[in-house]
Amino acid sequence: MKQTISLIALLAATPALAQDTRHMDAHEHGVGALYIAIDGTTVAMEFSAPGADIVGFEYAAQSEADRAAVDAAVATLATPLDLFVMPAEAGCSVTQASAALESEYEAHGDHDHDEHEHEDVHEHEDHEEHAEEAGHTEFHAQYTLTCANPQALTEIAFAYFDRFENAREVEVQILGPSGAQAFEVERDAPTLDLRSLF
Amino acid sequence: MILRLALASLFARALTVGMTILAIALSVMLFLGVEKVRTGAKASFADTISGTDLIVGARSGSVQLLLYSVFRIGNATNNVTWQSYQDIAARPEIDWIVPISLGDSHRQFRVMGTTREFFDRYKYRQGRSLAIAQGAVMDDLFDTVIGADVAATLGYRVGDPIVVAHGLASFTEHKDQPFRISGILAKTGTPVDRTVIVSLQAIEAIHVDWRSGAQIPGQSTPVDVIRQMDLTPKAVTAALIGVQSPLQTFRLQRAINEYPQEPLLAVLPGVALQELWAIVGIAETALLAVSAMVVVTALIGMMATIFSSLNERRREMAIFRAMGARPGTIFGLLVIEAMLTAAMGAVLGLALLYAGLFVAQPVLDSAFGLWLPIDAPSLREGLVLAGVVAAGALVSLVPAFRAYRLSLADGMMVKS
């Protein structure tokens, strides 16, 4: 009997142990991250920025105004070519774009968000229950572009800084034909020079 | 005319001018040498790994992981369990994955456990593959492939037996397992030259009789028993990954960085190198600033010698004036002399640099794995040399102006 109980206890404890992995990503206010991968004519981009940069607060949206701000920000973040302006000669068009707000508490149960990127635009409404917790929030966006002439991607103008006043800096990592490179784009000089990439 | 005069004048004071030229030459050599080592080190690092999309290891820092796994520099990172390695290897984004297991040594050289795929996948210097100079890639459990420097330093040939020790610079050597050299790699100019490569299973085999870091006394498993054992590794140090499509690289990197069962880190080699340069850049700038100051010091030294020569040359200047030279000519003479001195210093400095490179190149290569190419001077170096000459002219303006003013009246009358 005793053995059975300990066995049950063990079984009960095991899933709890398995889930007990704590992990937090770096979170620096004012600093967003942009990942760009170029393969042929396809350009995949992932962008993330702290809630503080985008809407100015990181608690779960409570008032109507908060919610409207989040909705507007998500809508803006879903238009990548208005935020990261590419040269016209490159002939880039958006084939897929999605943006969402994530709190750090939610992020872990939601690892597979890559798979359902089209539907999560209104996901932030699920975050009401975290209203009491003083956590960080982050906006995430994913884009896929098709560029007719990717060699013409010599620079990207970060109109992003004009749209979001709290953003100071974006750390950019780019994978291009000649390997990976990292850049920092700051509000003072909001243009990314990519000539070294080709 | 004035040029010939300047040359003759310099030649007449060969000793002092020679010293000034030497000072400028040494400072120019130092400045260009620092620049050469800086760019050479950068190129050497950047050329060491190519074609690898991600490096995976235990969570540490991206620079530490890169330095330890690829350059075998710095502190060891934690190991990655074999189970996590298998999990990552099974992901759909993976095109190829090559494990690396470090921690043992042979004499002063690192022993690296890996798979045969390493020889196909590891690329250096813009996509060049490793080539076997003699022998073949390891086939047997106790086969090793050694780098060019290992073979050259220790005088090994294909077929020689080799002893692999536990830990670096350890006195307790694994004497039981007779490893054999099956192949010697061609020189690459990368840390692979200083590596003894064995299979992952061999790394396990070395440690069969070893528990908690010391050999169990009186226990020695015979080689044929080891061959029968299950030698699946329990852990690896790092893994090199090639991704199916660049578009998946960042997704795979995030998946590895958020791998819930074990804290892992995936880094893009190019980005990690850039991070390293950002750190090293400060020291580089300081070094460059110091060597630039040495050039400035040498030029100021030249200015001082010109000043002191003015007194000696009052009579000479007066004779020039008496023969009809205008004060402007005297001014020009001094500036041209200074420019000639600086130019000779610069050229001699360049010559010394190349002589130094010629001597130091093999030493630096074998001691630090740093290959400094002997190329024709770059445009940048040409600009530095031109800058030195221009700076020489600039510092000479002060004494030349003084000579100009003095020569208007002074020296015509012999005072004493």
Side-chain angles (χ1 to χ4, degrees):
Chain A
M1 182 63 197
K2 210 173 173 187
Q3 250 177 345
T4 324
I5 288 171
S6 59
L7 193 67
I8 290 169
L10 195 71
L11 284 175
T14 313
L17 278 173
Q19 283 178 355
D20 194 22
T21 49
R22 289 178 289 270
H23 169 89
M24 284 253 185
D25 289 323
H27 182 93
E28 188 181 352
H29 285 183
V31 182
L34 178 66
Y35 297 89
I36 304 174
I38 303 170
D39 185 21
T41 57
T42 310
V43 178
M45 296 169 61
E46 284 182 37
F47 178 73
S48 62
D53 288 22
I54 304 295
V55 289
F57 59 84
E58 295 208 342
Y59 50 84
Q62 281 162 314
S63 67
E64 274 306 310
D66 289 351
R67 254 169 255 171
V70 169
D71 282 342
V74 167
T76 310
L77 285 175
T79 56
L81 291 179
D82 294 344
L83 300 174
F84 312 107
V85 185
M86 320 240 174
E89 305 86 72
C92 294
S93 57
V94 180
T95 46
Q96 178 270 324
S98 67
L101 176 65
E102 278 176 14
S103 95
E104 281 188 341
Y105 300 98
E106 191 80 5
H108 301 287
D110 194 30
H111 267 168
D112 54 351
H113 59 262
D114 294 353
E115 272 82 39
H116 54 91
E117 24 199 36
H118 291 277
E119 49 186 312
D120 51 13
V121 172
H122 292 285
E123 203 185 18
H124 59 270
E125 283 169 3
D126 306 339
H127 292 246
E128 297 276 271
E129 57 192 289
H130 294 299
E132 302 302 310
E133 296 177 79
H136 293 302
T137 59
E138 277 207 343
F139 282 86
H140 286 266
Q142 297 197 344
Y143 317 116
T144 312
L145 314 180
T146 307
C147 294
N149 187 12
Q151 275 77 26
L153 270 177
T154 49
E155 62 166 41
I156 298 177
F158 278 58
Y160 163 77
F161 290 110
D162 303 330
R163 297 296 187 95
F164 301 108
E165 285 176 2
N166 294 329
R168 280 197 337 263
E169 186 184 319
V170 176
E171 284 174 1
V172 185
Q173 288 192 15
I174 298 193
L175 261 178
S178 66
Q181 283 193 50
F183 300 90
E184 270 181 18
V185 181
E186 292 182 355
R187 172 170 287 276
D188 303 335
T191 309
L192 176 60
D193 186 349
L194 294 181
R195 273 172 300 183
S196 57
L197 205 63
F198 296 102
Chain B
M1 172 64 201
I2 193 167
L3 190 69
R4 223 177 64 204
L5 204 61
L7 273 173
S9 155
L10 289 178
F11 196 70
R13 290 173 289 124
L15 190 66
T16 33
V17 171
M19 284 307 172
T20 312
I21 289 175
L22 192 64
I24 293 174
L26 286 176
S27 71
V28 165
M29 183 186 83
L30 183 68
F31 186 80
L32 292 181
V34 166
E35 184 70 12
K36 204 90 181 166
V37 169
R38 197 176 70 95
T39 50
K42 255 187 193 176
S44 190
F45 267 74
D47 279 347
T48 293
I49 189 152
S50 150
T52 296
D53 294 316
L54 288 172
I55 300 172
V56 178
R59 195 166 300 163
S60 44
S62 51
V63 173
Q64 192 198 351
L65 179 60
L66 177 82
L67 285 181
Y68 186 65
S69 63
V70 178
F71 298 97
R72 336 251 193 270
I73 300 173
N75 297 323
T77 55
N78 287 347
N79 278 349
V80 177
T81 60
W82 185 245
Q83 201 187 342
S84 299
Y85 172 81
Q86 295 284 35
D87 274 2
I88 292 166
R91 286 189 66 95
E93 297 96 339
I94 302 268
D95 181 27
W96 54 267
I97 180 164
V98 174
I100 284 175
S101 192
L102 297 164
D104 286 282
S105 71
H106 174 71
R107 306 281 191 94
Q108 70 267 45
F109 299 107
R110 296 267 190 186
V111 171
M112 181 178 83
T114 184
T115 58
R116 286 175 65 108
E117 226 186 339
F118 178 81
F119 298 97
D120 303 324
R121 297 303 186 182
Y122 178 81
K123 298 274 198 302
Y124 68 101
R125 215 167 286 170
Q126 283 101 45
R128 272 202 248 174
S129 293
L130 294 174
I132 297 271
Q134 292 169 51
V137 172
M138 63 248 187
D139 206 16
D140 184 71
L141 178 61
F142 292 113
D143 275 356
T144 69
V145 172
I146 59 175
D149 289 352
V150 182
T153 311
L154 304 177
Y156 285 154
R157 285 167 208 280
V158 173
D160 283 358
I162 181 171
V163 170
V164 178
H166 189 54
L168 191 63
S170 157
F171 293 104
T172 53
E173 297 197 324
H174 299 206
K175 289 218 168 73
D176 316 318
Q177 289 87 30
F179 280 84
R180 194 184 67 89
I181 293 165
S182 74
I184 297 173
L185 291 170
K187 178 96 182 162
T188 61
T190 69
V192 174
D193 292 346
R194 294 181 302 284
T195 306
V196 173
I197 301 171
V198 299
S199 68
L200 275 185
Q201 288 74 27
I203 295 275
E204 286 303 306
I206 297 167
H207 300 106
V208 163
D209 289 329
W210 292 68
R211 297 286 175 267
S212 59
Q215 194 166 21
I216 301 163
Q219 189 182 332
S220 174
T221 315
V223 167
D224 13 320
V225 176
I226 291 177
R227 285 188 193 277
Q228 306 299 319
M229 292 172 79
D230 173 24
L231 294 171
T232 309
K234 287 163 198 70
V236 296
T237 306
L240 309 179
I241 289 179
V243 181
Q244 298 265 359
S245 153
L247 302 179
Q248 297 166 326
T249 308
F250 289 120
R251 180 183 304 181
L252 179 64
Q253 184 186 23
R254 170 132 10 97
I256 293 170
N257 286 343
E258 291 178 354
Y259 184 72
Q261 282 82 27
E262 190 175 345
L264 299 178
L265 176 71
V267 300
L268 296 151
V271 171
L273 263 183
Q274 259 182 297
E275 262 178 56
L276 178 65
W277 296 136
I279 303 164
V280 176
I282 303 164
E284 272 183 348
T285 315
L287 207 60
L288 216 55
V290 169
S291 51
M293 285 313 288
V294 175
V295 177
V296 170
T297 312
L299 288 172
I300 289 175
M302 179 177 75
M303 181 160 88
T305 44
I306 298 174
F307 260 126
S308 67
S309 77
L310 284 185
N311 263 340
E312 303 165 16
R313 298 174 70 188
R314 266 166 78 184
R315 183 70 58 85
E316 181 192 334
M317 300 294 172
I319 294 167
F320 283 145
R321 289 280 285 137
M323 289 172 71
R326 281 171 295 153
T329 314
I330 304 284
F331 182 85
L333 179 71
L334 282 172
V335 173
I336 286 175
E337 278 183 25
M339 281 176 75
L340 282 173
T341 312
M344 282 189 272
V347 171
L348 183 66
L350 198 66
L352 284 174
L353 174 73
Y354 278 94
L357 271 180
F358 212 73
V359 174
Q361 192 183 44
V363 181
L364 282 175
D365 184 36
S366 63
F368 304 107
L370 178 62
W371 180 255
L372 297 180
I374 301 181
D375 301 330
S378 64
L379 179 68
R380 200 186 148 92
E381 286 165 330
L383 284 176
V384 169
L385 296 183
V388 170
V389 177
L394 202 68
V395 296
S396 75
L397 287 180
V398 189
F401 184 67
R402 189 178 154 85
Y404 171 86
R405 280 198 26 213
L406 289 176
S407 69
L408 286 175
D410 189 42
M412 294 293 270
M413 296 165 288
V414 181
K415 278 174 185 163
S416 59

